[in-house]
Amino acid sequence: VVRVVRDTSQSKFVKELYDYQCQICGLTILVPTLKSGKYCEAHHVQPLGRLYNEPDHTSNIVALCPNHHSMMDLGVIAIYPNNLRVIFAFNNYNSLEPNAVLQLKGKHGLKSQYLAFHLKNIYLGETILHEVELNNEQF
């Protein structure tokens, strides 16, 4: 088994910046046994590891609830880099209102290039992207 060694301080910074709330839905999972008392997950927008070799840095990390983390990993949802709107590959995911937007704070420094990579290479809706307006965004 090969495991990528991560810099946990980067993930911790992002989770604390958003007070352990999912940047998509705002959910915070309360867990009294954790030091922070709250739980969310750090998602690397462009995955780490040999295949992608992207940075373990706040510019490539978002704080998500476990559901939205899994959906991003599996390519079921993506985030448009130009307007931060959340899009769905399939119509059977209606847990969000249709115009959900990734919440972003100025100190975060999330880079749109990682959102664009995820949209182009991981998002399963690539075959249906022609049905959704991209606002002339060039990748």
Side-chain angles (χ1 to χ4, degrees):
V1 174
V2 176
R3 180 175 166 91
V4 176
V5 178
R6 297 180 176 171
D7 181 356
T8 57
S9 67
Q10 300 294 306
S11 296
K12 183 179 179 188
F13 173 83
V14 173
K15 291 191 278 188
E16 288 177 348
L17 180 63
Y18 294 95
D19 195 26
Y20 293 84
Q21 287 186 334
C22 177
Q23 288 178 250
I24 293 176
C25 69
L27 176 69
T28 299
I29 300 172
L30 301 177
V31 184
T33 56
L34 295 176
K35 185 177 179 180
S36 69
K38 302 172 184 178
Y39 178 80
C40 74
E41 297 178 355
H43 171 68
H44 291 82
V45 180
Q46 186 166 338
L48 302 178
R50 276 185 284 179
L51 184 59
Y52 302 113
N53 197 28
E54 282 310 312
D56 189 11
H57 188 266
T58 60
S59 63
N60 186 35
I61 298 172
V62 291
L64 300 177
C65 67
N67 284 344
H68 290 123
H69 187 185
S70 295
M71 293 169 87
M72 286 286 288
D73 279 346
L74 296 170
V76 175
I77 62 174
I79 300 160
Y80 279 126
N82 59 338
N83 61 13
L84 302 180
R85 194 166 52 90
V86 180
I87 57 170
F88 300 83
F90 308 103
N91 290 330
N92 59 344
Y93 295 102
N94 58 0
S95 63
L96 296 174
E97 58 181 77
N99 297 316
V101 174
L102 182 78
Q103 299 304 306
L104 198 58
K105 294 184 178 183
K107 292 181 181 179
H108 187 155
L110 180 66
K111 290 187 178 178
S112 63
Q113 71 190 51
Y114 301 124
L115 296 173
F117 177 90
H118 182 274
L119 180 65
K120 186 175 180 183
N121 298 287
I122 297 171
Y123 179 58
L124 295 175
E126 182 66 25
T127 57
I128 62 168
L129 277 177
H130 67 279
E131 297 175 14
V132 182
E133 184 179 343
L134 286 172
N135 293 329
N136 298 320
E137 186 74 17
Q138 298 295 316
F139 297 115

